[in-house]
PDB file of all heavy atoms in Angstrom:
ATOM      1  N   TYR A 227      49.604 -33.568 -17.240  1.00  0.00           N
ATOM      2  CA  TYR A 227      49.192 -32.488 -16.354  1.00  0.00           C
ATOM      3  C   TYR A 227      50.271 -32.135 -15.330  1.00  0.00           C
ATOM      4  O   TYR A 227      50.650 -31.015 -15.125  1.00  0.00           O
ATOM      5  CB  TYR A 227      47.859 -32.821 -15.705  1.00  0.00           C
ATOM      6  CG  TYR A 227      47.360 -31.739 -14.779  1.00  0.00           C
ATOM      7  CD1 TYR A 227      46.787 -30.577 -15.264  1.00  0.00           C
ATOM      8  CD2 TYR A 227      47.454 -31.884 -13.393  1.00  0.00           C
ATOM      9  CE1 TYR A 227      46.316 -29.573 -14.389  1.00  0.00           C
ATOM     10  CE2 TYR A 227      47.019 -30.907 -12.498  1.00  0.00           C
ATOM     11  CZ  TYR A 227      46.410 -29.778 -13.036  1.00  0.00           C
ATOM     12  OH  TYR A 227      45.996 -28.770 -12.154  1.00  0.00           O
ATOM     13  N   THR A 239      46.363 -26.949 -18.466  1.00  0.00           N
ATOM     14  CA  THR A 239      45.373 -27.272 -17.437  1.00  0.00           C
ATOM     15  C   THR A 239      44.023 -27.463 -18.069  1.00  0.00           C
ATOM     16  O   THR A 239      43.866 -27.185 -19.284  1.00  0.00           O
ATOM     17  CB  THR A 239      45.317 -26.180 -16.381  1.00  0.00           C
ATOM     18  OG1 THR A 239      44.858 -24.960 -16.934  1.00  0.00           O
ATOM     19  CG2 THR A 239      46.688 -25.886 -15.792  1.00  0.00           C
ATOM     20  N   SER A 240      43.014 -27.863 -17.324  1.00  0.00           N
ATOM     21  CA  SER A 240      41.751 -28.269 -17.899  1.00  0.00           C
ATOM     22  C   SER A 240      40.955 -27.047 -18.442  1.00  0.00           C
ATOM     23  O   SER A 240      40.123 -27.202 -19.328  1.00  0.00           O
ATOM     24  CB  SER A 240      40.901 -29.037 -16.882  1.00  0.00           C
ATOM     25  OG  SER A 240      40.451 -28.108 -15.866  1.00  0.00           O
ATOM     26  N   GLY A 241      41.129 -25.878 -17.875  1.00  0.00           N
ATOM     27  CA  GLY A 241      40.266 -24.755 -18.247  1.00  0.00           C
ATOM     28  C   GLY A 241      38.827 -24.972 -17.887  1.00  0.00           C
ATOM     29  O   GLY A 241      37.925 -24.316 -18.419  1.00  0.00           O
ATOM     30  N   LEU A 242      38.572 -25.843 -16.892  1.00  0.00           N
ATOM     31  CA  LEU A 242      37.202 -26.137 -16.555  1.00  0.00           C
ATOM     32  C   LEU A 242      36.600 -25.376 -15.315  1.00  0.00           C
ATOM     33  O   LEU A 242      35.551 -25.676 -14.856  1.00  0.00           O
ATOM     34  CB  LEU A 242      37.090 -27.679 -16.214  1.00  0.00           C
ATOM     35  CG  LEU A 242      37.134 -28.617 -17.441  1.00  0.00           C
ATOM     36  CD1 LEU A 242      37.308 -30.043 -17.021  1.00  0.00           C
ATOM     37  CD2 LEU A 242      35.866 -28.461 -18.264  1.00  0.00           C
ATOM     38  N   SER A 243      37.442 -24.418 -14.855  1.00  0.00           N
ATOM     39  CA  SER A 243      36.980 -23.765 -13.621  1.00  0.00           C
ATOM     40  C   SER A 243      35.721 -22.984 -13.757  1.00  0.00           C
ATOM     41  O   SER A 243      34.889 -22.954 -12.831  1.00  0.00           O
ATOM     42  CB  SER A 243      38.068 -22.816 -13.117  1.00  0.00           C
ATOM     43  OG  SER A 243      38.573 -21.959 -14.175  1.00  0.00           O
ATOM     44  N   TRP A 276      45.852 -34.053 -10.735  1.00  0.00           N
ATOM     45  CA  TRP A 276      44.644 -33.245 -10.993  1.00  0.00           C
ATOM     46  C   TRP A 276      43.589 -33.472  -9.909  1.00  0.00           C
ATOM     47  O   TRP A 276      42.918 -32.560  -9.496  1.00  0.00           O
ATOM     48  CB  TRP A 276      44.103 -33.645 -12.396  1.00  0.00           C
ATOM     49  CG  TRP A 276      43.147 -32.653 -12.948  1.00  0.00           C
ATOM     50  CD1 TRP A 276      43.369 -31.341 -13.186  1.00  0.00           C
ATOM     51  CD2 TRP A 276      41.774 -32.867 -13.270  1.00  0.00           C
ATOM     52  NE1 TRP A 276      42.221 -30.688 -13.683  1.00  0.00           N
ATOM     53  CE2 TRP A 276      41.248 -31.599 -13.762  1.00  0.00           C
ATOM     54  CE3 TRP A 276      40.916 -34.013 -13.265  1.00  0.00           C
ATOM     55  CZ2 TRP A 276      39.889 -31.517 -14.198  1.00  0.00           C
ATOM     56  CZ3 TRP A 276      39.634 -33.871 -13.719  1.00  0.00           C
ATOM     57  CH2 TRP A 276      39.134 -32.637 -14.172  1.00  0.00           C
ATOM     58  N   GLU A 279      43.939 -31.160  -7.146  1.00  0.00           N
ATOM     59  CA  GLU A 279      43.395 -29.875  -7.321  1.00  0.00           C
ATOM     60  C   GLU A 279      41.897 -29.839  -6.982  1.00  0.00           C
ATOM     61  O   GLU A 279      41.375 -28.900  -6.437  1.00  0.00           O
ATOM     62  CB  GLU A 279      43.563 -29.338  -8.766  1.00  0.00           C
ATOM     63  CG  GLU A 279      45.026 -29.210  -9.223  1.00  0.00           C
ATOM     64  CD  GLU A 279      45.873 -28.395  -8.271  1.00  0.00           C
ATOM     65  OE1 GLU A 279      45.387 -27.367  -7.741  1.00  0.00           O
ATOM     66  OE2 GLU A 279      47.026 -28.835  -7.950  1.00  0.00           O
ATOM     67  N   ASN A 346      46.720 -20.607 -12.858  1.00  0.00           N
ATOM     68  CA  ASN A 346      46.875 -20.745 -11.419  1.00  0.00           C
ATOM     69  C   ASN A 346      48.212 -20.225 -10.877  1.00  0.00           C
ATOM     70  O   ASN A 346      48.278 -19.496  -9.937  1.00  0.00           O
ATOM     71  CB  ASN A 346      46.690 -22.204 -10.985  1.00  0.00           C
ATOM     72  CG  ASN A 346      46.813 -22.320  -9.487  1.00  0.00           C
ATOM     73  OD1 ASN A 346      46.093 -21.698  -8.701  1.00  0.00           O
ATOM     74  ND2 ASN A 346      47.776 -23.171  -9.054  1.00  0.00           N
ATOM     75  N   ASP A 377      35.415 -17.544 -13.672  1.00  0.00           N
ATOM     76  CA  ASP A 377      35.256 -18.645 -12.656  1.00  0.00           C
ATOM     77  C   ASP A 377      35.179 -18.105 -11.244  1.00  0.00           C
ATOM     78  O   ASP A 377      35.318 -18.893 -10.263  1.00  0.00           O
ATOM     79  CB  ASP A 377      36.381 -19.638 -12.799  1.00  0.00           C
ATOM     80  CG  ASP A 377      37.790 -19.075 -12.457  1.00  0.00           C
ATOM     81  OD1 ASP A 377      37.880 -18.053 -11.760  1.00  0.00           O
ATOM     82  OD2 ASP A 377      38.761 -19.610 -13.030  1.00  0.00           O
ATOM     83  N   ASP A 379      34.801 -17.416  -7.691  1.00  0.00           N
ATOM     84  CA  ASP A 379      34.143 -18.324  -6.738  1.00  0.00           C
ATOM     85  C   ASP A 379      34.687 -17.915  -5.373  1.00  0.00           C
ATOM     86  O   ASP A 379      35.935 -17.932  -5.164  1.00  0.00           O
ATOM     87  CB  ASP A 379      34.548 -19.784  -7.089  1.00  0.00           C
ATOM     88  CG  ASP A 379      34.155 -20.779  -6.039  1.00  0.00           C
ATOM     89  OD1 ASP A 379      34.870 -20.894  -4.980  1.00  0.00           O
ATOM     90  OD2 ASP A 379      33.156 -21.444  -6.221  1.00  0.00           O
ATOM     91  N   ASN A 383      38.610 -18.197  -4.460  1.00  0.00           N
ATOM     92  CA  ASN A 383      39.256 -16.909  -4.647  1.00  0.00           C
ATOM     93  C   ASN A 383      39.860 -16.397  -3.294  1.00  0.00           C
ATOM     94  O   ASN A 383      40.938 -16.040  -3.161  1.00  0.00           O
ATOM     95  CB  ASN A 383      38.282 -15.921  -5.241  1.00  0.00           C
ATOM     96  CG  ASN A 383      39.026 -14.687  -5.790  1.00  0.00           C
ATOM     97  OD1 ASN A 383      40.036 -14.801  -6.382  1.00  0.00           O
ATOM     98  ND2 ASN A 383      38.350 -13.491  -5.632  1.00  0.00           N
TER      99      ASN A 383
HETATM  100  C1  FAD B 501      44.741 -15.748  -5.843  1.00  0.00           C
HETATM  101  C2  FAD B 501      43.952 -16.927  -6.394  1.00  0.00           C
HETATM  102  C3  FAD B 501      42.612 -16.735  -6.770  1.00  0.00           C
HETATM  103  C4  FAD B 501      41.846 -17.832  -7.279  1.00  0.00           C
HETATM  104  N1  FAD B 501      40.518 -17.615  -7.579  1.00  0.00           N
HETATM  105  C5  FAD B 501      39.791 -18.653  -8.043  1.00  0.00           C
HETATM  106  C6  FAD B 501      38.404 -18.497  -8.324  1.00  0.00           C
HETATM  107  O1  FAD B 501      37.816 -17.436  -8.175  1.00  0.00           O
HETATM  108  N2  FAD B 501      37.674 -19.558  -8.804  1.00  0.00           N
HETATM  109  C7  FAD B 501      38.287 -20.797  -9.001  1.00  0.00           C
HETATM  110  O2  FAD B 501      37.681 -21.703  -9.510  1.00  0.00           O
HETATM  111  N3  FAD B 501      39.599 -20.977  -8.704  1.00  0.00           N
HETATM  112  C8  FAD B 501      40.389 -19.927  -8.224  1.00  0.00           C
HETATM  113  N4  FAD B 501      41.684 -20.145  -7.958  1.00  0.00           N
HETATM  114  C9  FAD B 501      42.251 -21.495  -8.054  1.00  0.00           C
HETATM  115  C10 FAD B 501      42.880 -21.812  -9.427  1.00  0.00           C
HETATM  116  O3  FAD B 501      43.761 -20.809  -9.773  1.00  0.00           O
HETATM  117  C11 FAD B 501      41.861 -22.053 -10.536  1.00  0.00           C
HETATM  118  O4  FAD B 501      40.905 -22.921 -10.113  1.00  0.00           O
HETATM  119  C12 FAD B 501      42.539 -22.630 -11.775  1.00  0.00           C
HETATM  120  O5  FAD B 501      43.545 -21.771 -12.263  1.00  0.00           O
HETATM  121  C13 FAD B 501      41.491 -22.833 -12.827  1.00  0.00           C
HETATM  122  O6  FAD B 501      42.076 -23.307 -14.042  1.00  0.00           O
HETATM  123  P1  FAD B 501      41.743 -24.765 -14.551  1.00  0.00           P
HETATM  124  O7  FAD B 501      40.315 -25.032 -14.530  1.00  0.00           O
HETATM  125  O8  FAD B 501      42.520 -24.980 -15.803  1.00  0.00           O
HETATM  126  O9  FAD B 501      42.450 -25.660 -13.380  1.00  0.00           O
HETATM  127  P2  FAD B 501      42.968 -27.173 -13.277  1.00  0.00           P
HETATM  128  O10 FAD B 501      44.405 -27.075 -12.964  1.00  0.00           O
HETATM  129  O11 FAD B 501      42.566 -27.943 -14.458  1.00  0.00           O
HETATM  130  O12 FAD B 501      42.241 -27.709 -12.018  1.00  0.00           O
HETATM  131  C14 FAD B 501      40.979 -28.319 -11.993  1.00  0.00           C
HETATM  132  C15 FAD B 501      39.942 -27.698 -11.137  1.00  0.00           C
HETATM  133  O13 FAD B 501      40.334 -27.811  -9.819  1.00  0.00           O
HETATM  134  C16 FAD B 501      39.959 -26.646  -9.059  1.00  0.00           C
HETATM  135  N5  FAD B 501      41.156 -25.977  -8.541  1.00  0.00           N
HETATM  136  C17 FAD B 501      42.379 -25.976  -9.077  1.00  0.00           C
HETATM  137  N6  FAD B 501      43.249 -25.349  -8.316  1.00  0.00           N
HETATM  138  C18 FAD B 501      42.572 -24.905  -7.230  1.00  0.00           C
HETATM  139  C19 FAD B 501      42.879 -24.141  -6.072  1.00  0.00           C
HETATM  140  N7  FAD B 501      44.126 -23.734  -5.822  1.00  0.00           N
HETATM  141  N8  FAD B 501      41.864 -23.841  -5.203  1.00  0.00           N
HETATM  142  C20 FAD B 501      40.609 -24.284  -5.378  1.00  0.00           C
HETATM  143  N9  FAD B 501      40.254 -25.009  -6.503  1.00  0.00           N
HETATM  144  C21 FAD B 501      41.176 -25.333  -7.407  1.00  0.00           C
HETATM  145  C22 FAD B 501      39.213 -25.740 -10.051  1.00  0.00           C
HETATM  146  O14 FAD B 501      37.842 -25.991  -9.964  1.00  0.00           O
HETATM  147  C23 FAD B 501      39.796 -26.231 -11.364  1.00  0.00           C
HETATM  148  O15 FAD B 501      38.946 -25.994 -12.479  1.00  0.00           O
HETATM  149  C24 FAD B 501      42.441 -19.091  -7.423  1.00  0.00           C
HETATM  150  C25 FAD B 501      43.815 -19.281  -7.070  1.00  0.00           C
HETATM  151  C26 FAD B 501      44.518 -18.207  -6.567  1.00  0.00           C
HETATM  152  C27 FAD B 501      45.971 -18.436  -6.183  1.00  0.00           C
END
Side-chain angles (χ1 to χ4, degrees):
Y227 179 77
T239 66
S240 71
L242 285 169
S243 48
W276 197 59
E279 299 307 319
N346 181 57
D377 62 26
D379 170 278
N383 197 37

